Amino acid sequence: MTSAPPELNHTFTDADLDALLAYGTVVSYADGDELSREGTRNVDALVVLEGQIDIHLPTTDGERRVGWMERGQFAGDITLVTGQATLVNVRASGASKVLRISHADFQRLLVEDSHLSDIFVRVLTARRAWAKARNLNSIVLIGSAFDRQLFALRDLMTKHNVPHCWLDPERDAVGVRILAGRALDPSALPVAIVGDHTPLVQPSVADVSMLLGLDSVADDSHVDLVVVGAGPAGLACAVYAASEGLSVIVVDSKGPGGQAGTSSKIENYLGFPMGISGRELAERATVQAQKFGALFASPATVESVAPTGSHYCVRLADGRAFDSRAVVVASGADYRRLPIEGLEGYEGRGIYYGATAMEAQLCARSKVCVVGAGNSAGQGAVFLSETCEEVHVLYRRADIRETMSEYLVRRLESTPNIHLHPQTEIEGFEEVGGRLAGVQLKGDGAAQGHLATPFVFLFIGAAPCTDWVPDAAARDRRGFLLTGVDLESDALAESGWPLDRAPSRFETSIPRFYAVGDVRSGGVKRVASAVGEGSGVIADVHRAIAEA
């Protein structure tokens, strides 16, 4: 395969090929025959038995050959596992014989054969990472850095690990040339160009998600478990449930990762001495869950959950409904908004709730403001300091060590372009030409009374995402869900708890309706804790389903 690193390809032995034959069908092709087309969902796995097949990537400058496969080698990237739309065209180069393995049989292979599964997942994952690093993109987004709709589209691509290129026509001549070459109106942005498809003008997140096949969960699906939320707790829940034979649908309103997905570097998670980004952790966990057969409905929002006999009906805002024997709430908590008039108008175009590579690209060489005193704020500030001129950290407390890990505090204090402002809050925003230009400050630490910056990152407290949760689920005074021993007899009586047994450790006041991670009252708000709860709840789910 081209001159790519060796980890991006693998040549199966004859013994491996014999084992693979049990999962597919051998098909002969003539020179130029198309085996797979860009935009197709649930594509077949293609293993070459004789001859050669070529991989072509559609780009804004025409189709480009990016690789080829010979005997014992296979085509594709991680979309073989996820079922999302493939981003390449595959054609025979000369007379060829290919083993075609359908998506359903490929999913079966991943579970049944550990040796072959490891090879496929390792290589497919490496190919996607290499394509992103080398900017081998068939998807181009064109729009302003201060366009909220463009930010939402980029956020969608990032959370779903889709390679893409962003061009800002205000500072990139290539973007201007592409718009002119396709007769696209520069005033009607953003524009999404996906392979050979007609460009999407001012598309919604749902439009792009549908085109890329990011969510293909069918209406009226019947499963053992619906997990609401794809942060560390929800992803761990999906991995363990699916690997133990339960059918699983994971629903998330944005994309895998949750709050942890916005962390640029998690350094205190067990087993990663050099740290790991929240995005990478989420990507790995998502592939792991999909390898075992878990399905993802995202971006999708749960509207309601209602009992239907011994099952639950989980209804989405888009009209779909799933029947499930149990539900796990792993919807986490959102960072709180500042109670300042006009804040919503700057969200996604100056005000952000995560500091990842995407946001860092927007504010490179600028002065930025980070609000918060928790670990997420500290991680964000350190990450932004690598590319930003100055990073100003604002927090209400007198001592940031009360809420932030010591290793992060010391890093903040030793980084010359990070400036700490204790007992300081934002009082208002300043605007120039319709864009955020600065913030007005108040408090004992506000020496100047204002800070000139077009970028503000908010990491202030958290509110549980439980608007959709039935009222019968007991909550604490802050709205987090009570579970297990934290449920008092009065709360159980009020909810109408119908069983002779007490709720299990992660069970709410509704039978077979569980809460794990940050949404649960008493949660530790750490990735390791969330993963532990998400994996631990599955034993309780198994027992409850068996009893029902």
Side-chain angles (χ1 to χ4, degrees), residues 414-498:
S414 63
T415 305
N417 63 333
I418 293 180
H419 308 279
L420 303 180
H421 301 267
Q423 298 178 287
T424 303
E425 300 177 66
I426 292 179
E427 187 174 38
F429 301 115
E430 299 172 353
E431 178 182 300
V432 174
R435 295 180 178 177
L436 183 66
V439 293
Q440 299 164 358
L441 307 178
K442 66 177 180 179
D444 296 342
Q448 301 299 322
H450 114 262
L451 182 66
T453 174
F455 300 102
V456 176
F457 294 83
L458 301 180
F459 301 92
I460 49 173
C465 301
T466 57
D467 292 346
W468 58 275
V469 173
D471 292 339
R475 297 157 166 84
D476 66 14
R477 60 182 178 80
R478 296 184 300 155
F480 293 88
L481 297 177
L482 294 166
T483 60
V485 296
D486 292 333
L487 285 163
E488 299 179 355
S489 56
D490 290 346
L492 290 177
E494 187 175 334
S495 69
W497 179 261

Side-chain angles (χ1 to χ4, degrees), residues 161-172:
N161 193 26
V162 178
H164 66 281
C165 172
W166 164 54
L167 300 173
D168 186 345
E170 295 182 14
R171 56 188 183 187
D172 196 323

Side-chain angles (χ1 to χ4, degrees), residues 262-275:
T262 67
S263 295
S264 56
K265 194 174 186 181
I266 303 169
E267 294 189 73
N268 57 357
Y269 186 53
L270 186 67
F272 292 89
M274 292 177 289

